[in-house]
Amino acid sequence: MSSTQEVSLEDHFPIRTLSLETGVNTVTLRAWERRYGLLKPVRTPKGHRLYNQKDVETVHNILHWIQKGVPVGKVKALLSNNKNAEELDCSNELSDDDVWSALRNQFIESSTNYQESKLLSDYQALSSQYPVDIIITQLIEPVVTSLFHLGDNGTAFRFFTSCLTKQITVHLNSYKHQGKKRPSVLVVNAASGSVFWSGLMALLLQARGYDPIWLSDVHNPNQWMPLLSGLNPSQCLCVCESVLPDGMETFMTELAKYEGSVVITGSEVWFKFRHLSDEVSNVSIYSSAMEGVMSIG
């Protein structure tokens, strides 16, 4: 099909729709097209990219392989086999999972040597090639675990999270949805130590088609209810990690009178209040922040 051939708008849609359908941001989708030839959109006479349902399936197949550890640069060879991802034997291709191991070591080295510019440039390059959830599971979680147990009083760990928190803020502002208004999600965290994770969850929500309202410095549950009433978001995500903040019991009681949907994450909160998910229909509690984000929809 010619890049300028007239296409039916009933069958094709712009890149922002493909992004919403797949949870992959538009920057990454363009990188997959330009650098790796994984997508081949048709073009309007004015040069705008248009996609169809087959492209949605292609992106899901790309994600399937990336989630198994295949580097994005090697996915094209797998897609060209004209088979469904489930039919292919990935044993040989997965030998290159060492790529992720090398990346983890690279980020650990940059963190222990306090190389902020390298850390940020490497993260920016990676975030243009992989979706947020893949970066979290394949890179950030293992790196954080390794740095946390270094025995340096958490210095490298805090350096890593501080640098990436700045980059998360940049990404949240850069990738704000254009045009049609998206459902808003208020994202708060229970302690300063949860800022990094709440920011990551806000970024993940944005990739899934929401407009996150990330308030990184509001840690007191007594302040959350006025914010819910004043901002009136579609939903709310409270990231508590392993902290059980003061005022949580009062907040939980007030939630019974709140009509909106609230997702609360954190091991300590889940352990003490998990029964509320059965008693209060609008409240869901998860031990994992990732699990909580994926439940929003």
Side-chain angles (χ1 to χ4, degrees):
M1 181 178 290
S2 169
S3 61
T4 58
Q5 181 176 344
E6 185 176 349
V7 295
S8 170
L9 293 180
E10 294 181 0
D11 299 326
H12 290 76
F13 41 81
I15 192 170
R16 64 177 179 272
T17 302
L18 181 63
S19 176
L20 292 174
E21 288 284 332
T22 61
V24 181
N25 69 57
T26 57
V27 173
T28 300
L29 292 172
R30 291 190 185 98
W32 286 357
E33 175 198 343
R34 293 169 178 168
R35 298 183 192 177
Y36 305 108
L38 295 174
L39 295 169
K40 297 180 180 179
V42 297
R43 298 271 186 165
T44 67
K46 293 186 177 181
H48 299 300
R49 295 173 175 85
L50 291 177
Y51 303 84
N52 58 22
Q53 192 59 36
K54 185 178 179 180
D55 294 306
V56 174
E57 294 171 3
T58 297
V59 172
H60 285 311
N61 272 337
I62 295 170
L63 292 173
H64 172 89
W65 288 113
I66 291 175
Q67 287 165 350
K68 285 181 173 291
V70 178
V72 67
K74 298 206 171 185
V75 170
K76 187 176 182 179
L78 298 174
L79 298 179
S80 65
N81 282 319
N82 295 322
K83 294 182 179 180
N84 292 327
E86 290 77 8
E87 296 179 275
L88 295 173
D89 178 9
C90 63
S91 56
N92 293 329
E93 289 79 6
L94 289 186
S95 61
D96 284 279
D97 185 43
D98 288 342
V99 170
W100 279 110
S101 179
L103 283 169
R104 294 174 197 130
N105 290 334
Q106 179 178 315
F107 275 78
I108 290 171
E109 182 178 353
S110 296
S111 299
T112 54
N113 290 326
Y114 313 131
Q115 298 172 314
E116 180 180 15
S117 59
K118 178 170 175 52
L119 190 65
L120 294 180
S121 63
D122 287 345
Y123 176 79
Q124 189 169 7
L126 201 62
S127 64
S128 71
Q129 301 175 54
Y130 294 93
V132 180
D133 59 329
I134 302 296
I135 294 175
I136 292 173
T137 56
Q138 293 282 1
L139 179 80
I140 291 178
E141 288 181 343
V143 168
V144 163
T145 299
S146 297
L147 293 176
F148 189 77
H149 293 97
L150 276 183
D152 64 344
N153 294 318
T155 306
F157 164 72
R158 289 301 178 193
F159 179 83
F160 175 78
T161 58
S162 297
C163 290
L164 260 62
T165 298
K166 290 192 286 187
Q167 194 64 40
I168 288 168
T169 303
V170 172
H171 281 211
L172 284 171
N173 291 329
S174 299
Y175 299 153
K176 280 190 175 296
H177 294 294
Q178 302 293 323
K180 185 178 179 181
K181 187 176 181 180
R182 307 298 174 188
S184 61
V185 180
L186 174 63
V187 181
V188 294
N189 45 270
S192 57
S194 302
V195 170
F196 173 63
W197 290 110
S198 67
L200 278 177
M201 296 306 106
L203 203 59
L204 184 54
L205 284 166
Q206 189 177 69
R208 298 187 66 223
Y210 295 93
D211 279 334
I213 306 170
W214 181 38
L215 301 181
S216 61
D217 199 34
V218 183
H219 308 315
N220 190 337
N222 293 325
Q223 299 167 331
W224 295 348
M225 188 57 68
L227 287 171
L228 284 172
S229 300
L231 294 171
N232 193 30
S234 300
Q235 300 189 61
C236 177
L237 173 68
C238 306
V239 180
C240 298
E241 287 301 296
S242 58
V243 176
L244 185 62
D246 295 335
M248 201 66 189
E249 292 192 21
T250 301
F251 178 63
M252 290 294 189
T253 302
E254 292 178 345
L255 281 179
K257 299 177 286 186
Y258 180 67
E259 295 182 357
S261 175
V262 178
V263 173
I264 305 171
T265 69
S267 55
E268 292 293 326
V269 174
W270 178 85
F271 183 78
K272 183 168 184 179
F273 296 104
R274 61 186 184 278
H275 62 279
L276 278 181
S277 294
D278 298 323
E279 299 174 6
V280 184
S281 60
N282 63 320
V283 177
S284 300
I285 304 175
Y286 299 89
S287 59
S288 160
M290 283 280 286
E291 187 180 6
V293 168
M294 300 312 291
S295 74
I296 294 176

